[in-house]
Amino acid sequence: MKTKPAIPKGTRDFMPVETAKRNYIFNTINDVFHLFGFQEIETPAMENLSTLMGKYGEEGDKLLFKILNSGDFTSKADKSLWESGDTTRLAAQLCEKGLRYDLTVPFARFVVMHRNEITFPFKRCQIQPVWRADRPQKGRYREFYQCDADIIGSDSLMNETELILMIDEVFARLGIRVAIKMNNRKILSGIAETIGYPDKLTDITVAIDKFDKIGLDNVNAELSSKGVDDNAIAMLRPIITLQGDNDGKLATLRKTLAASETGMKGIEELETILGLVGKDNLRATLDIDLTLARGLNYYTGAIFEVKAADVAIGSITGGGRYDNLTGVFGMDGVSGVGISFGADRIYDVLNQLDLYPEQSLRTTRIMFVNFGEKEMKAAMGYAAGLRNAGISTELYPECAKMKKQMGYADAKGIPFVAIVGENELASGTITLKDMASGEQKQVTIDELTEIIK
Amino acid sequence: MKTKPAIPKGTRDFMPVETAKRNYIFNTINDVFHLFGFQEIETPAMENLSTLMGKYGEEGDKLLFKILNSGDFTSKADKSLWESGDTTRLAAQLCEKGLRYDLTVPFARFVVMHRNEITFPFKRCQIQPVWRADRPQKGRYREFYQCDADIIGSDSLMNETELILMIDEVFARLGIRVAIKMNNRKILSGIAETIGYPDKLTDITVAIDKFDKIGLDNVNAELSSKGVDDNAIAMLRPIITLQGDNDGKLATLRKTLAASETGMKGIEELETILGLVGKDNLRATLDIDLTLARGLNYYTGAIFEVKAADVAIGSITGGGRYDNLTGVFGMDGVSGVGISFGADRIYDVLNQLDLYPEQSLRTTRIMFVNFGEKEMKAAMGYAAGLRNAGISTELYPECAKMKKQMGYADAKGIPFVAIVGENELASGTITLKDMASGEQKQVTIDELTEIIK
């Protein structure tokens, strides 16, 4: 009955060093969330499929992990669906529950269920894994964490501003230089209106988005193929090729979108946010980027995205303002704005730049070599004192060969080893070995505590 | 398309205060794990069913949450199993993956898969949720956390000793007075041997275990009904009614079990552990308890259990020594000893005794009232300074009525409110309101920082 061990594709084990690094990221993000007054909630891994289905499009429904009903799961199911090959409906009869696909739909469900316990505006944060039956590939997993913060029940642009400050603080703490890109759905709508194609908002946005990669001529060809006329394409040109600082961009936009009420409202929102953030208050750069459109159909106002300055990788954080979060659950009028940190990509960035502070790895600081029972009694006394001082301390559990014990300390990356043998017992001292330099010296327990603290 | 929102039975949402309390428990346990040199790992929520099935008995197999295969899940399944009602085999064909049921089997699988990356002895800790399709009832959930620490690859009784010290440290930090109960499987075997029924170990243990509840006569009746003869029952009497301190109990056991080599080995192990722990080194009490038998078939040496002294609730932590953790995955000879903290019960105990330190709730320390744009600009400057000093700070996002803003601070339990209105702007001061006392005073930002820090 030996089973060859493996884990499901697209999932991961995390070794101690990886877990410590990941926790460092989660803790940094969580600390900043709390610093800004966000409160953490948790929701169950399993949600009712009635909560999840239909919220992520037809493709999303297929990517939900569904949980087979317990007991006699066939009793409520129609066998003819098997025969007719209608696995979608059959799955819905065999399964009542599924694993959460993101943190947003569970949050909406949470807000509606607990509306009477919640004080609005509600600043909630949530750091939990989500599951998607996507085809696994490099950097895409079937289980991964999302780190979300949202403010709901307030239309104030103060919220957008606070989120930008919070993004800045997180990446400053992590030591990652970033560019925060900002756009506004209303501006994109204004552009489509102004050039006479309000109904082609998505086509226009998708095309503009490719400017960096394919150049102006190809963007124009794409626009043309989507039925945008030459006159409109000419009007788009100054917007697509918009360069310079935020003030310059805003000036151009104000001229170009003057006739669009929606567009002007979007410009005003951008200006207000930039004004509230202020000049020189960020360590990140904050740039208006009209090609930014993430989840366009979802966002109604500000749209954010963050890119690492020193590593070529996709967006490491994103978000924006949305309307009617909870409408699908029968509670209208809840708008909000939120951001989501991409922990897996942040992990890759930190690894590439080797930015983990030493203490984030949480290794044992000191190990006592085991020379036998009598010596261990003394070592245990010392260890108790060190632990009281908050110093992570180990006692090698067996009286093994010195080489084996030192090899263990070395493999585990323990920086100091303490030797309490017969001589040390007699003199009441400890021989302290610095594993990096190989240096040894005889010290008292107080001296030792000072050195390794 | 409105869905009435609900969550699957046996699962829970955690509101901000509950989440903060739970994180306080997890962080306390995790900090102590690290203090003692344990290293955290994480494993995926989903494991292959081939890893999980057959590891928890027939009943356990039924309690596994199974995940329906993606795509055309019927293609690999035999429809005749539906017709014949063999849902167990059908489930195995419809599902390849399941949610983890505990942290032990995934840990064993992890060790075998990563044997070449691990340095032994391996001190691993893991704090993650597990899922069981148990019938939900008070205090029993379908999703709950386990907090495990194990040392594998070392037979030394130092490990048992360290686990006891670690239990003591965790509960001291949490402020919960506890009794640590200790037994040894070898002593239980020695007892069964000594009275002539080595094959009735389980029956005897189960009966002895009830002594506190049903009394000696009923225990003896049960033993008799299981076929234990009167002579043997008489021999058991001094063991069942064993009272007094650990030294006294050991003395009695040494006499009673003198003829059993296994029993004497168990006594020796208990003595060694008690000797290594030492007198007066624990804040908890540490008592030999011969009725303790948790998961008897699993444990081979020490058995631990922890009870809260001031709350009537079941065991809040348990563990013991086991052999051959990884044998089922084809890797023999890995023995270990481990403990598992019951976070949900610890949560109940802390709630009953109201032992959460104020800072564990992680509420915002101070909120700035919003009087409009100009005032907010100043407040944002102050907030930036406070956040730099590590003080959790909020700005109310809307220029709402004072009463609404104060109500928000009150509901969220924010202890201080800062007022920066026209007068304060003019004088460069802040009016600080202590929400508990209602007291208000005019202060500078430096004074404010000192007060609320």
Side-chain angles (χ1 to χ4, degrees):
Chain A
M1 259 277 299
K2 314 273 182 190
T3 323
K4 193 186 164 203
I7 51 176
K9 63 179 175 182
T11 70
R12 291 166 289 174
D13 280 332
F14 295 103
M15 298 295 290
V17 170
E18 294 166 316
T19 306
K21 286 178 172 180
R22 284 162 53 84
N23 285 340
Y24 164 68
I25 296 169
F26 296 140
N27 290 337
T28 301
I29 293 171
N30 210 5
D31 284 348
V32 175
F33 285 167
H34 282 97
L35 190 65
F36 280 73
F38 287 78
Q39 294 185 299
E40 195 172 357
I41 66 163
E42 288 202 359
T43 63
M46 298 186 287
E47 293 275 352
N48 290 328
L49 279 176
S50 57
T51 300
L52 301 177
M53 295 287 283
K55 309 302 189 299
Y56 307 104
E58 210 173 307
E59 197 48 37
D61 283 352
K62 287 190 193 143
L63 300 184
L64 292 170
F65 282 111
K66 300 174 185 72
I67 293 168
L68 192 68
N69 291 338
S70 299
D72 183 7
F73 55 87
T74 57
S75 64
K76 286 188 206 159
D78 177 358
K79 187 154 59 71
S80 74
L81 293 173
W82 184 317
E83 282 139 17
S84 65
D86 189 350
T87 51
T88 303
R89 280 180 61 205
L90 182 59
Q93 295 183 354
L94 296 174
C95 304
E96 281 171 7
K97 295 181 287 291
L99 295 180
R100 82 179 147 241
Y101 180 87
D102 71 0
L103 301 180
T104 303
V105 168
F107 175 47
R109 192 266 310 143
F110 179 100
V111 170
V112 176
M113 270 181 74
H114 304 285
R115 60 210 289 176
N116 296 324
E117 304 155 62
I118 293 171
T119 313
F120 294 92
F122 184 35
K123 297 170 78 168
R124 95 82 168 76
C125 59
Q126 190 171 356
I127 299 182
Q128 290 194 280
V130 302
W131 294 269
R132 297 182 183 179
D134 255 322
R135 188 179 302 276
Q137 49 182 267
K138 192 176 178 316
R140 190 193 288 171
Y141 304 102
R142 291 185 149 193
E143 174 180 57
F144 60 97
Y145 271 75
Q146 293 194 332
C147 310
D148 285 16
D150 292 80
I151 305 147
I152 59 166
S154 165
D155 292 332
S156 164
L157 296 171
M158 272 293 296
N159 300 312
E160 278 81 345
T161 309
E162 288 270 278
L163 291 179
I164 291 168
L165 294 173
M166 202 158 77
I167 290 170
D168 186 56
E169 181 68 23
V170 165
F171 289 108
R173 288 187 180 203
L174 293 173
I176 300 176
R177 296 197 317 128
V178 296
I180 305 173
K181 313 273 188 188
M182 179 164 60
N183 196 3
N184 194 298
R185 158 68 177 259
K186 297 186 180 82
I187 291 179
L188 293 170
S189 298
I191 292 171
E193 253 176 49
T194 301
I195 65 168
Y197 290 96
D199 53 319
K200 291 201 193 294
L201 173 56
T202 305
D203 287 340
I204 294 166
T205 312
V206 167
I208 292 180
D209 188 31
K210 296 182 186 160
F211 171 61
D212 275 352
K213 282 190 202 127
I214 64 177
L216 185 63
D217 288 347
N218 290 313
V219 169
N220 289 347
E222 180 168 329
L223 287 166
S224 191
S225 78
K226 296 286 179 185
V228 179
D229 67 39
D230 288 353
N231 188 29
I233 289 176
M235 287 173 75
L236 262 179
R237 188 198 172 102
I239 293 167
I240 300 178
T241 56
L242 197 58
Q243 292 292 331
D245 63 9
N246 293 331
D247 289 342
K249 286 178 182 170
L250 286 170
T252 307
L253 282 173
R254 257 191 303 268
K255 270 183 264 170
T256 320
L257 305 183
S260 163
E261 202 182 321
T262 308
M264 291 307 281
K265 181 86 177 66
I267 294 167
E268 194 190 306
E269 287 184 11
L270 276 187
E271 283 178 319
T272 303
I273 295 168
L274 288 169
L276 283 168
V277 170
K279 305 254 184 214
D280 306 321
N281 286 333
L282 298 184
R283 287 141 294 186
T285 60
L286 174 59
D287 301 312
I288 296 173
D289 180 351
L290 295 179
T291 67
L292 183 62
R294 325 168 41 93
L296 183 64
N297 294 321
Y298 183 63
Y299 293 125
T300 57
I303 305 172
F304 303 114
E305 189 166 273
V306 180
K307 296 226 170 181
D310 303 312
V311 176
I313 200 168
S315 146
I316 55 178
T317 291
R321 179 168 284 280
Y322 46 83
D323 270 349
N324 209 12
L325 174 72
T326 52
V328 69
F329 298 115
M331 180 179 173
D332 284 323
V334 178
S335 71
V337 55
I339 49 170
S340 184
F341 287 86
D344 282 296
R345 284 194 176 161
I346 293 172
Y347 177 82
D348 288 342
V349 170
L350 287 175
N351 273 336
Q352 276 197 50
L353 302 177
D354 195 16
L355 286 177
Y356 292 98
E358 201 194 321
Q359 76 273 18
S360 73
L361 301 182
R362 298 194 82 168
T363 38
T364 302
R365 286 292 289 165
I366 184 164
M367 184 194 87
F368 283 83
V369 175
N370 190 325
F371 288 105
E373 209 175 312
K374 195 175 55 171
E375 290 83 356
M376 257 353 231
K377 276 279 201 180
M380 285 179 70
Y382 293 138
L386 291 169
R387 287 168 178 164
N388 268 341
I391 296 163
S392 172
T393 305
E394 279 190 58
L395 303 146
Y396 194 85
E398 324 229 341
C399 183
K401 288 207 176 107
M402 186 74 164
K403 197 182 159 195
K404 188 177 177 194
Q405 299 194 41
M406 296 306 265
Y408 172 88
D410 199 42
K412 215 168 158 177
I414 301 174
F416 294 100
V417 165
I419 293 164
V420 182
E422 220 166 308
N423 294 340
E424 287 85 355
L425 272 190
S427 62
T429 59
I430 300 159
T431 300
L432 179 67
K433 178 167 182 167
D434 180 323
M435 293 293 278
S437 66
E439 201 190 330
Q440 290 197 185
K441 57 180 157 187
Q442 203 116 343
V443 294
T444 65
I445 183 65
D446 291 339
E447 288 164 348
L448 183 150
T449 309
E450 269 316 299
I451 292 169
I452 69 171
K453 214 171 180 172
Chain B
M1 260 277 301
K2 314 274 181 191
T3 324
K4 195 185 163 202
I7 50 176
K9 63 179 176 183
T11 69
R12 292 166 290 173
D13 279 332
F14 296 104
M15 298 294 290
V17 170
E18 295 166 315
T19 306
K21 286 178 173 180
R22 285 161 52 84
N23 284 341
Y24 165 68
I25 296 169
F26 297 139
N27 289 337
T28 302
I29 294 171
N30 210 5
D31 284 348
V32 175
F33 284 168
H34 283 97
L35 191 65
F36 280 74
F38 286 78
Q39 295 185 299
E40 195 172 357
I41 66 162
E42 289 203 358
T43 63
M46 298 187 285
E47 292 275 352
N48 290 330
L49 279 175
S50 57
T51 299
L52 302 176
M53 295 288 284
K55 310 301 190 299
Y56 308 104
E58 210 173 308
E59 197 50 38
D61 282 353
K62 286 188 194 146
L63 300 183
L64 292 171
F65 282 111
K66 299 173 185 76
I67 294 174
L68 192 68
N69 292 339
S70 299
D72 182 7
F73 55 87
T74 57
S75 63
K76 286 189 207 157
D78 176 359
K79 187 153 60 72
S80 74
L81 294 172
W82 184 317
E83 281 139 17
S84 65
D86 189 350
T87 51
T88 303
R89 280 182 59 207
L90 182 58
Q93 295 183 353
L94 296 174
C95 304
E96 281 171 7
K97 296 180 285 292
L99 295 180
R100 82 180 147 239
Y101 181 88
D102 70 0
L103 301 181
T104 303
V105 169
F107 175 47
R109 193 266 310 143
F110 179 98
V111 170
V112 177
M113 269 181 74
H114 303 285
R115 61 210 290 176
N116 295 325
E117 304 155 64
I118 293 171
T119 313
F120 294 94
F122 184 35
K123 297 170 79 167
R124 97 79 169 79
C125 60
Q126 190 171 356
I127 299 183
Q128 290 193 278
V130 302
W131 294 269
R132 297 182 184 180
D134 255 323
R135 190 179 301 276
Q137 49 183 266
K138 192 177 177 318
R140 190 192 287 171
Y141 304 102
R142 291 185 149 193
E143 174 180 58
F144 60 97
Y145 271 75
Q146 292 194 331
C147 311
D148 285 16
D150 292 78
I151 306 146
I152 59 166
S154 164
D155 292 333
S156 164
L157 296 171
M158 272 292 296
N159 299 313
E160 277 82 345
T161 309
E162 289 270 279
L163 290 179
I164 291 168
L165 294 173
M166 202 157 76
I167 290 169
D168 186 58
E169 181 68 23
V170 164
F171 289 109
R173 289 187 179 203
L174 292 173
I176 300 175
R177 296 198 315 129
V178 296
I180 304 172
K181 314 271 189 190
M182 178 165 60
N183 198 4
N184 194 299
R185 158 69 177 258
K186 297 187 179 83
I187 291 180
L188 293 170
S189 298
I191 292 170
E193 253 177 48
T194 300
I195 65 169
Y197 290 96
D199 55 321
K200 289 199 194 295
L201 174 57
T202 305
D203 288 339
I204 294 167
T205 312
V206 168
I208 292 180
D209 186 33
K210 296 181 185 161
F211 172 62
D212 275 353
K213 282 190 200 128
I214 63 176
L216 186 63
D217 289 347
N218 290 314
V219 169
N220 288 348
E222 180 168 328
L223 287 165
S224 193
S225 78
K226 296 286 181 185
V228 179
D229 68 38
D230 289 352
N231 189 29
I233 289 175
M235 285 172 76
L236 262 180
R237 188 199 173 100
I239 293 168
I240 300 178
T241 58
L242 197 58
Q243 293 292 331
D245 63 8
N246 292 333
D247 289 341
K249 285 178 182 171
L250 286 170
T252 307
L253 281 173
R254 256 190 305 269
K255 270 184 263 169
T256 321
L257 304 184
S260 163
E261 201 183 319
T262 308
M264 292 306 280
K265 181 84 177 67
I267 294 167
E268 194 189 308
E269 288 184 9
L270 277 186
E271 281 179 319
T272 303
I273 295 167
L274 288 169
L276 283 169
V277 170
K279 305 254 184 215
D280 307 322
N281 287 334
L282 298 184
R283 287 140 294 186
T285 60
L286 174 60
D287 301 312
I288 296 172
D289 180 351
L290 295 179
T291 68
L292 182 62
R294 325 168 43 92
L296 183 64
N297 293 322
Y298 183 63
Y299 293 125
T300 56
I303 305 172
F304 303 114
E305 189 166 274
V306 180
K307 295 226 172 183
D310 303 312
V311 175
I313 199 167
S315 145
I316 54 177
T317 291
R321 180 169 282 280
Y322 47 82
D323 271 349
N324 209 12
L325 173 71
T326 51
V328 70
F329 297 114
M331 179 178 172
D332 284 323
V334 178
S335 71
V337 56
I339 51 171
S340 185
F341 288 86
D344 283 297
R345 283 192 176 162
I346 293 172
Y347 178 82
D348 289 343
V349 170
L350 287 175
N351 273 337
Q352 275 196 51
L353 302 177
D354 196 16
L355 286 177
Y356 292 97
E358 200 195 321
Q359 75 273 19
S360 72
L361 301 182
R362 299 195 82 169
T363 39
T364 302
R365 287 290 290 164
I366 185 163
M367 184 193 87
F368 283 83
V369 175
N370 190 326
F371 287 104
E373 208 175 312
K374 194 176 54 173
E375 291 82 357
M376 258 352 233
K377 276 279 201 178
M380 284 179 70
Y382 293 138
L386 291 169
R387 287 169 178 162
N388 268 340
I391 296 163
S392 172
T393 305
E394 278 189 60
L395 304 147
Y396 193 85
E398 324 228 342
C399 183
K401 286 203 178 115
M402 186 75 164
K403 198 180 158 195
K404 189 176 176 196
Q405 298 194 41
M406 297 307 265
Y408 171 89
D410 200 43
K412 216 167 158 177
I414 301 174
F416 295 100
V417 166
I419 295 165
V420 182
E422 221 166 310
N423 293 339
E424 286 86 356
L425 271 190
S427 62
T429 59
I430 301 159
T431 300
L432 179 67
K433 177 167 182 166
D434 181 323
M435 293 293 279
S437 66
E439 201 190 330
Q440 289 195 189
K441 56 180 159 186
Q442 203 115 343
V443 294
T444 65
I445 183 66
D446 290 340
E447 289 164 350
L448 183 150
T449 309
E450 268 317 299
I451 293 169
I452 68 173
K453 213 170 178 173

